[in-house]
Amino acid sequence: MRVSLWVSVTLVALLFGWGAWQRRWIADDGLIVLRTVRNLLAGNGPVFNAGERVEANTSTAWSYLMYLGGLVSGAARLEYVALTLALVLSVLGVVLVMLGTARLYAPALRGRQAVLLPAGVLVYIAVPPARDFATSGLENGLVLAYLGLLWWMMVVWGQARRGTPTSRAFDLTLAFVAGLSVLVRPELALIGGLALVMMLIAAKDWRARALIVAAGGLLPVGYQIFRMGYYGLLFPSTALAKEASGAKWQQGFVYLANFNQPYLLWAPAVLLVGLAVMVRLLCGRPVRIDRPRTADAGWLARMVQSPSAVVIFMLLSGFLQAVYWIRQGGDFMHGRVLLTPLFCLLAPVAVIPLMLPDRRRMARGASYLYAGATSLLWLGVVGWSLWAANSNGMGADATRVTYTGIVDERRFYAQATGHAHPLTAADYLDYPRMRAVLVAIQNTPDGALWLPSGNYDTWDVVPAYPPPPDAPPDYRGPQTVFFTNLGMVSMNVGLDVRVIDQIGLANPLAAHTARIEDGRIGHDKNLFPDWAVAEGPFFKEEPYIPAYLDEDWIRQAEAALNCPETVSVLDAIRAPMGPRRFLSNLVHAAEFTRYRIDRVPLYELRRCGLPLPEPVNPPYAGLPPTGP
């Protein structure tokens, strides 16, 4: 059995690693992470733009892991560091989940002849988005490694009451790993939190519970205090920009269908349920716990700390993750956010035991019947996996932004850049407008605001105010780029160039606007560029502004920025950091997180009760009367 397990693990690791390498790339969102890492390495702190404390990365653990990788690698390109870490962690995740499942079956298979075969893990690695996001520069690989490790540790913990008890060091390490969930991704707190609750219920006494709480909560609580004091928010700016607590159920079910339809995921689900039933019949016996007539905390502890409870924990975790993302509306990247719930739901059947016929344990005919049925179901999973692995995915809609707002992100950028494997920021210079913005910045040393024009080869320029008379010869004025694709822009320009977006990932003003209900998922905030002109040291009147901007709107936005509540929110991230600022942010973080502004300057002035500036262009009063 052990030999078959390691053969399966090696084969799956090689297949997944090779498949992920064939689809290697770094996403634009992956480059966003690297901008923060660059600022950390430069001593500017964990920020996207120097002097502006915005947490533009969802995964805190991935950001600091990349920072550590940057320190260790020295002169190596950060893109290659991200690629390597993501790929290694992705493969490690599938290895750990297989080892955890094999450990789950081990007690029942002791003394029996069986072969361990990959099953659920084949389904996961066969789905094209799983291989797409095994690199990508995003935290998906870290999520897989984290979930694989947590699953393996929970299985060991769940078997402790029926086998060798775990040590206190192991239990505290498990609590620490469970507590890390919120730092890997905020919504994973649903998984890590549930694991901690199970551990607290099963703990022997209050001293053990106190140690579990300390081990599981010290780091995440400490970082949460830092986040609130440093950034002035309860969660990352990305969650604020995407309104992570909001609900878009209809769009969520569209996203689920978009993930299921190309691969017919219901088919392997049916086969795996059949395999789970066969495994239960062959090697699983229900755990009977007779509840005493009087209340007994020991009964509850035994029930919670059991293999069956651990399996239920993982299945429930996958279900809760799926419900969360469907409620949230999914994502604009095909399949990405549903990979985590899929991985959790597949974990208990990542590998399955094929019991070899044994007349000592069952009748000869029944023995062959069970083995044959299990083999047929497993071959069905293998056949589907081969078909799905070569699927065309979304087909013709893969690179088109249709009404669903969902695209195959890797294929989209491969097509848009002309690179089969866009890996570095330099590869993204072949994306429309990218080379043009570098030329525009080079040609405007006195500073400007650059806005994307309708022509892919040019940018609209709003010049900055002239430099002061005593400016040094090498003076470079304030430089700001206003564009959706933050990663490719920010990694191709210097850290002295401020890069902001209209959807709020790195733009604090946009992040605090209200969500557009019918907007594209993940892009459903849209701040008008007039605000970017208004809040910067740029000329705000004709002929310096593009024709599509309105001078009155700019003046109204400039006045709206004086709203006292808005000033407080912006001071929280732009005012110099010190003990008083940190404490003030800590106290008001919840208030700042709830705060919203209106994207229309006129309505924002009315909301704040501020006077309307004198209009530059009087409102249209209609045609003058004609005739007598």
Side-chain angles (χ1 to χ4, degrees):
M1 184 180 73
R2 183 170 297 178
V3 173
S4 64
L5 170 63
W6 285 109
V7 169
S8 297
V9 167
T10 303
L11 179 63
V12 168
L14 290 174
L15 283 174
F16 190 38
W18 177 78
W21 181 256
Q22 293 298 311
R23 304 168 82 96
R24 63 193 180 278
W25 71 304
I26 299 292
D28 178 70
D29 283 33
L31 295 176
I32 292 176
V33 177
L34 302 187
R35 167 77 169 203
T36 299
V37 175
R38 284 176 65 197
N39 272 301
L40 276 166
L41 293 172
N44 296 328
V47 299
F48 188 80
N49 290 305
E52 199 167 55
R53 296 180 295 275
V54 173
E55 190 177 13
N57 305 332
T58 304
S59 174
T60 302
W62 179 242
S63 298
Y64 285 97
L65 185 61
M66 280 299 308
Y67 170 60
L68 180 62
L71 287 176
V72 172
S73 64
R77 290 190 68 107
L78 288 174
E79 294 94 322
Y80 296 140
V81 175
L83 178 70
T84 303
L85 285 176
L87 183 57
V88 169
L89 289 171
S90 295
V91 174
L92 179 62
V94 299
V95 168
L96 287 171
V97 80
M98 294 176 72
L99 294 178
T101 307
R103 172 97 185 205
L104 179 71
Y105 297 139
L109 297 177
R110 191 170 292 118
R112 305 176 70 175
Q113 290 185 323
V115 176
L116 286 173
L117 300 173
V121 72
L122 287 181
V123 173
Y124 183 82
I125 69 173
V127 177
R131 284 168 282 137
D132 287 347
F133 292 103
T135 53
S136 83
L138 295 166
E139 70 280 353
N140 292 73
L142 176 61
V143 171
L144 287 193
Y146 173 79
L147 292 174
L149 176 62
L150 182 63
W151 166 244
W152 179 83
M153 296 188 75
M154 286 295 290
V155 169
V156 173
W157 176 82
Q159 293 175 335
R161 286 185 181 271
R162 293 169 177 80
T164 304
T166 55
S167 65
R168 175 168 292 177
F170 178 90
D171 289 347
L172 294 182
T173 302
L174 174 56
F176 176 79
V177 170
L180 279 180
S181 58
V182 70
L183 299 180
V184 176
R185 274 195 68 93
E187 71 276 1
L188 293 186
L190 295 171
I191 300 178
L194 182 57
L196 286 172
V197 169
M198 292 174 67
M199 294 187 70
L200 289 172
I201 293 174
K204 295 179 180 180
D205 50 43
W206 286 106
R207 183 173 182 273
R209 292 186 178 95
L211 290 174
I212 289 170
V213 170
L218 187 63
L219 185 59
V221 171
Y223 185 80
Q224 182 63 18
I225 293 172
F226 167 77
R227 171 183 284 151
M228 294 167 66
Y230 189 75
Y231 297 108
L233 291 176
L234 296 178
F235 38 70
S237 183
T238 51
L240 180 63
K242 298 182 180 183
E243 297 289 357
S245 60
K248 280 193 172 183
W249 286 101
Q250 183 177 358
Q251 176 63 25
F253 284 111
V254 169
Y255 188 78
L256 176 63
N258 177 271
F259 185 41
N260 168 70
Q261 188 173 7
Y263 318 113
L264 304 179
L265 290 173
W266 57 268
V270 172
L271 294 171
L272 289 172
V273 168
L275 280 172
V277 171
M278 297 303 298
V279 170
R280 187 69 174 175
L281 290 173
L282 286 166
C283 63
R285 291 181 300 174
V287 178
R288 297 186 61 183
I289 300 177
D290 297 323
R291 185 174 182 177
R293 295 182 180 181
T294 58
D296 180 9
W299 168 83
L300 182 59
R302 289 194 300 273
M303 184 177 68
V304 169
Q305 191 174 359
S306 67
S308 297
V310 171
V311 171
I312 293 171
F313 153 76
M314 205 60 175
L315 294 175
L316 180 60
S317 295
F319 174 75
L320 290 176
Q321 289 293 302
V323 169
Y324 170 81
W325 281 113
I326 292 171
R327 180 183 184 274
Q328 169 69 10
D331 192 36
F332 63 93
M333 301 185 197
H334 170 62
R336 181 198 168 203
V337 297
L338 291 181
L339 292 174
T340 296
L342 178 66
F343 191 75
C344 292
L345 293 171
L346 293 174
V349 287
V351 296
I352 56 103
L354 174 62
M355 307 297 295
L356 301 179
D358 186 354
R359 283 185 291 178
R360 293 175 301 172
R361 294 184 176 270
M362 63 177 65
R364 181 175 181 178
S367 180
Y368 280 100
L369 179 63
Y370 280 127
T374 302
S375 298
L376 286 175
L377 289 169
W378 181 76
L379 288 173
V381 170
V382 172
W384 175 90
S385 299
L386 289 171
W387 170 79
N390 295 282
S391 168
N392 193 32
M394 293 178 64
D397 287 338
T399 59
R400 293 203 302 255
V401 183
T402 63
Y403 76 96
T404 67
I406 306 166
V407 297
D408 183 326
E409 195 83 345
R410 184 188 65 82
R411 288 170 63 182
F412 176 87
Y413 281 118
Q415 176 179 290
T417 62
H419 295 274
H421 305 288
L423 290 174
T424 66
D427 291 334
Y428 279 93
L429 288 175
D430 293 319
Y431 189 83
R433 296 191 177 95
M434 285 303 100
R435 293 189 188 277
V437 75
L438 299 187
V439 173
I441 293 173
Q442 185 66 30
N443 293 338
T444 321
D446 289 344
L449 168 68
W450 292 278
L451 304 171
S453 70
N455 186 333
Y456 286 167
D457 294 326
T458 61
W459 284 69
D460 291 327
V461 179
V462 181
Y465 294 142
D470 57 347
D474 59 346
Y475 171 83
R476 292 187 66 85
Q479 301 164 320
T480 300
V481 180
F482 185 84
F483 194 50
T484 307
N485 301 85
L486 289 171
M488 63 180 73
V489 176
S490 64
M491 284 297 288
N492 277 301
V493 300
L495 295 178
D496 59 332
V497 178
R498 183 173 181 246
V499 182
I500 57 175
D501 61 319
Q502 75 272 33
I503 60 179
L505 298 178
N507 185 344
L509 208 56
H512 284 281
T513 58
R515 191 180 198 182
I516 301 172
E517 290 304 317
D518 296 326
R520 183 190 177 195
I521 191 67
H523 298 70
D524 38 14
K525 292 191 176 182
N526 191 358
L527 188 71
F528 297 111
D530 307 72
W531 289 89
V533 179
E535 71 165 345
F538 309 114
F539 285 99
K540 300 171 174 53
E541 60 276 337
E542 298 177 352
Y544 303 106
I545 59 175
Y548 52 81
L549 297 185
D550 187 282
E551 193 173 337
D552 282 322
W553 273 51
I554 294 173
R555 295 184 66 182
Q556 292 166 13
E558 190 176 22
L561 288 170
N562 293 316
C563 182
E565 292 85 356
T566 304
V567 171
S568 297
V569 168
L570 295 179
D571 282 348
I573 63 170
R574 292 175 180 169
M577 176 53 64
R580 293 190 63 180
R581 170 55 55 194
F582 187 92
L583 290 174
S584 175
N585 286 358
L586 185 66
V587 171
H588 296 98
E591 176 188 341
F592 293 158
T593 303
R594 291 191 301 267
Y595 184 68
R596 296 294 181 273
I597 67 173
D598 199 297
R599 57 199 285 266
V600 178
L602 176 62
Y603 298 159
E604 176 63 8
L605 287 171
R606 291 176 178 172
R607 186 189 69 83
C608 290
L610 296 175
L612 186 68
E614 192 69 27
V616 176
N617 302 307
Y620 177 67
L623 294 173
T626 59

